[in-house]
């Protein structure tokens, strides 16, 4: 018999920008589908009309596009299916597997204290065994599932967490369709997963308490259940659920701050999944190696420093065309600041020089943009630290020699500087640091002779002369 095609889905609710944890869920679904040569689908769960917006949907889709994680089939919108979901609830009612509940929401529930989850509301069962007619359905009513009495336990084998069993004592006849006619999350999810022929539900651990309810619905509908895999949470440094206090939680923020999609993807996969000690993976490698069984049970701590380190590594791998694409992605200001101030050869060289020191593309671009102008103000502390009574003469002598040479190659510039320093009986650093200050306003920068060869003779002389003028004051 042929193996059934794997079909997974990522099902975000458009009630905010895409969350970093949801992105990881999307990535794991995508990797699993690709590893199994199956399908990865996208379903927008937009039934919460109060909190869902088109803007958030567009923003989430844009984020997924940025990672190349778009659906293999047309995107499904849950809202389009709710009439069908209501019809199915009606059929369940007719077959005695669900029933109308005419209780007012407040009267319907009793409050029970549960050791594990604090206070819970549980339905008393008032309407469970009442007879009803089609006529009664004219009155406002919700539709509740009728959990069969003989089912004492719901058991499922989670692909990550192993066997999970929940006593039905902990569940009540939960609502499938609310009095206002809207189907509930658990009901719609199951019906959509059935109609999309989902074979594996891979989602965050925060949904684990929904799974027994969903299994009851599958059983009532006599439908084959998918496999379930609940991913561990992403945690903040203190072991709490990741929050804004620990790091940015919206994917959009990472894009704005100059992270690279491939680096973030690589980082997120390693939060919960591992392959020995390996840290850096290409997408092809991940597709080849990824299995759900190798996802850990324990929550993984989000480490911004490690992400920055990884981003820096990916940054240094970018070629010139990819850099230009990244400029385009960041918008007009960066385009203006980089492309109109520098020629192509200069930019190529600057990317190479500054990428060695940058961790994000934003930092890289900002450093290069700020080099395009002479330093606005010079830090007096730095000046006094790196200059003495010989500095002005030293700089003048360098400028003089620079004017007379034709080569702007690194080696020739270095030899020139060494010669000047030898004449003054000073170490190279005594000249290099003031030049660096003159060119960049700082004493941390790429190699000073590399910078001179990119800036060119005239610009270098202009900036050194400006420093000489300041030193003279
Ligand atoms: N829409 C749900 C959420 O955004 C996901 C539902 C599911 O994966 O079953 O958390």
């Amino acid at each position: 018999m042929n193996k059934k095609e794997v079909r997974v889905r990522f099902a975000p609710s458009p009630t905010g920008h895409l969350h970093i944890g949801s992105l990881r869920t999307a990535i794991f679904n995508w990797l699993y589908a690709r590893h199994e040569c199956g399908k990865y689908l996208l379903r927008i769960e937009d039934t919460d009309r109060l909190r869902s917006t088109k803007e958030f949907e567009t923003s989430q889709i844009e984020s997924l596009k940025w990672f190349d994680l778009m659906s293999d089939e047309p995107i499904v919108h849950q809202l389009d299916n709710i009439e069908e979901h209501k019809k199915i609830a009606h059929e369940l009612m007719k077959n005695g597997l669900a029933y109308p509940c005419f209780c007012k929401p407040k009267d319907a529930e009793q409050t029970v204290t549960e050791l594990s989850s604090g206070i819970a509301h549980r339905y008393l069962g008032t309407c469970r065994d009442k007879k009803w007619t089609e006529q009664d359905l004219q009155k406002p009513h919700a539709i509740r599932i009728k959990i069969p009495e003989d089912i004492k336990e719901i058991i499922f084998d989670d692909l990550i967490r192993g066997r999970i069993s929940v006593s039905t004592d902990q569940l009540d006849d939960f609502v499938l369709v609310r009095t206002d006619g809207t189907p509930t999350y658990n009901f719609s999810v199951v019906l959509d997963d059935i109609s999309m022929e989902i074979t594996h539900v891979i989602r965050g651990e925060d949904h684990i308490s929904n799974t027994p309810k969903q299994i009851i619905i599958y059983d009532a509908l006599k439908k084959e259940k998918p496999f379930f895999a609940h991913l561990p949470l992403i945690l903040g440094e203190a072991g709490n659920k990741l929050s804004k206090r620990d790091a940015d939680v919206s994917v959009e923020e990472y894009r704005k701050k100059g992270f690279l999609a491939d680096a973030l993807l690589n980082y997120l996969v390693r939060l919960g999944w591992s392959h020995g000690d390996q840290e850096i993976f290409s997408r092809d490698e991940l597709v080849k190696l990824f299995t759900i069984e190798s996802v850990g049970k324990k929550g993984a701590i989000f480490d911004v420093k490690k992400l920055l380190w990884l981003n820096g590594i990916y940054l240094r791998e970018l070629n010139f065309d990819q850099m230009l694409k990244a400029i385009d992605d960041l918008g007009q200001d960066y385009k203006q600041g980089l492309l109109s101030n520098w020629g192509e050869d200069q930019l190529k060289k600057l990317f190479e020089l500054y990428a060695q020191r940058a961790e994000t593309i934003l930092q890289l671009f900002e450093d290069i943009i700020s080099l395009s102008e002479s330093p606005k103000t010079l830090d007096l502390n730095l000046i006094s630290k790196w200059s003495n009574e010989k500095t002005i003469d030293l700089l003048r002598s360098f400028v003089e020699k620079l004017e007379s040479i034709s080569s702007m190659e690194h080696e020739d510039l270095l030899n020139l500087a060494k010669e000047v320093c030898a004449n003054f009986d000073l170490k190279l650093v005594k000249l290099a640091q003031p030049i660096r200050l003159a060119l960049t306003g700082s004493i941390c920068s790429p190699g000073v002779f590399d910078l001179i060869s990119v800036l060119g003779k005239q610009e270098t002389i202009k900036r050194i002369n400006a420093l000489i003028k300041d030193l003279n004051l």
Side-chain angles (χ1 to χ4, degrees), residues 229-354:
H230 290 93
L231 303 169
L233 293 178
I234 298 182
L235 305 174
E237 226 172 326
N240 50 318
K241 192 176 165 190
L242 185 74
S243 78
K244 276 188 193 155
R245 258 169 289 136
D246 303 298
D248 287 313
V249 291
S250 139
V251 174
E252 181 57 15
E253 286 301 314
Y254 288 89
R255 202 174 64 83
K256 282 196 204 140
K257 289 193 173 159
F259 284 85
L260 299 167
D262 283 340
L264 193 49
L265 183 138
N266 187 153
Y267 179 71
L268 288 174
V269 174
R270 285 286 289 105
L271 278 185
W273 176 86
S274 59
H275 180 72
D277 292 336
Q278 192 174 336
E279 291 290 357
I280 298 165
F281 298 87
S282 68
R283 273 203 198 204
D284 286 348
E285 241 177 321
L286 287 173
V287 166
K288 209 161 104 201
L289 297 171
F290 185 81
T291 60
I292 295 197
E293 289 70 27
S294 44
V295 174
K297 286 193 188 77
K298 274 209 337 232
I301 294 181
F302 194 89
D303 179 349
V304 183
K305 280 203 202 94
K306 188 166 164 193
L307 170 60
L308 281 165
W309 165 77
L310 199 62
N311 203 60
I313 290 176
Y314 273 80
L315 188 66
R316 291 185 267 290
E317 293 293 312
L318 295 186
N319 62 33
F320 188 59
D321 286 340
Q322 290 166 319
M323 288 282 188
L324 292 179
K325 163 103 188 32
I327 300 177
D328 238 7
D329 284 352
L330 279 175
Q332 204 48 41
D333 285 355
Y334 287 92
K335 244 176 159 163
Q336 174 81 14
L338 291 163
L339 304 184
S340 56
N341 286 319
W342 300 106
E344 187 173 319
D345 286 345
Q346 285 176 307
L347 263 189
K348 277 187 187 158
K349 188 86 191 127
L350 288 170
F351 283 151
E352 214 174 279
L353 292 174
Y354 277 92

Side-chain angles (χ1 to χ4, degrees), residues 141 153 173 178 195 218 257 265 272-273 328 360 425 441 473:
H141 65 279
E153 227 176 9
D173 286 347
R178 299 182 191 90
S195 69
Y218 278 101
K257 289 193 173 159
L265 183 138
W273 176 86
D328 238 7
T360 68
D425 201 18
L473 292 179

Side-chain angles (χ1 to χ4, degrees), residues 9-13 22 25 43 45 78 185 189 193 201-204 206-207 214:
R9 70 352 180 232
F10 172 54
S13 306
S22 304
T25 302
R43 179 171 74 229
E45 303 210 316
Q78 193 156 66
Y185 157 74
V189 163
D193 283 342
V201 169
I202 305 169
R203 61 185 170 198
D206 43 340
H207 284 289
Q214 294 177 9

Side-chain angles (χ1 to χ4, degrees), residues 134-290:
E134 281 291 326
Q135 183 84 25
D136 293 327
L137 300 185
Q138 303 301 320
K139 288 184 272 172
H141 65 279
I143 301 176
R144 288 183 182 272
I145 189 88
K146 192 171 197 172
I147 301 182
E149 255 160 34
D150 56 333
I151 299 183
K152 303 285 176 228
E153 227 176 9
I154 305 293
I155 300 173
F156 65 100
D157 290 313
D158 189 285
L159 295 177
I160 296 171
R161 308 171 64 90
R163 179 151 291 198
I164 293 180
S165 82
V166 176
S167 157
T168 46
D169 286 349
Q170 291 178 32
L171 302 171
D172 64 357
D173 286 347
F174 55 90
V175 173
L176 302 178
V177 179
R178 299 182 191 90
T179 309
D180 67 6
T182 56
T184 54
Y185 157 74
N186 280 315
F187 192 44
S188 285
V189 163
V190 170
L191 295 178
D192 283 343
D193 283 342
I194 292 170
S195 69
M196 292 166 76
E197 298 179 49
I198 298 303
T199 57
H200 293 71
V201 169
I202 305 169
R203 61 185 170 198
E205 191 180 89
D206 43 340
H207 284 289
I208 209 159
S209 60
N210 290 316
T211 306
K213 293 182 186 174
Q214 294 177 9
I215 287 174
I216 288 171
I217 300 173
Y218 278 101
D219 288 344
L221 294 164
K222 301 196 176 43
K223 293 289 184 189
E224 194 184 336
K225 293 178 273 289
F227 291 101
F228 291 97
H230 290 93
L231 303 169
L233 293 178
I234 298 182
L235 305 174
E237 226 172 326
N240 50 318
K241 192 176 165 190
L242 185 74
S243 78
K244 276 188 193 155
R245 258 169 289 136
D246 303 298
D248 287 313
V249 291
S250 139
V251 174
E252 181 57 15
E253 286 301 314
Y254 288 89
R255 202 174 64 83
K256 282 196 204 140
K257 289 193 173 159
F259 284 85
L260 299 167
D262 283 340
L264 193 49
L265 183 138
N266 187 153
Y267 179 71
L268 288 174
V269 174
R270 285 286 289 105
L271 278 185
W273 176 86
S274 59
H275 180 72
D277 292 336
Q278 192 174 336
E279 291 290 357
I280 298 165
F281 298 87
S282 68
R283 273 203 198 204
D284 286 348
E285 241 177 321
L286 287 173
V287 166
K288 209 161 104 201
L289 297 171
F290 185 81

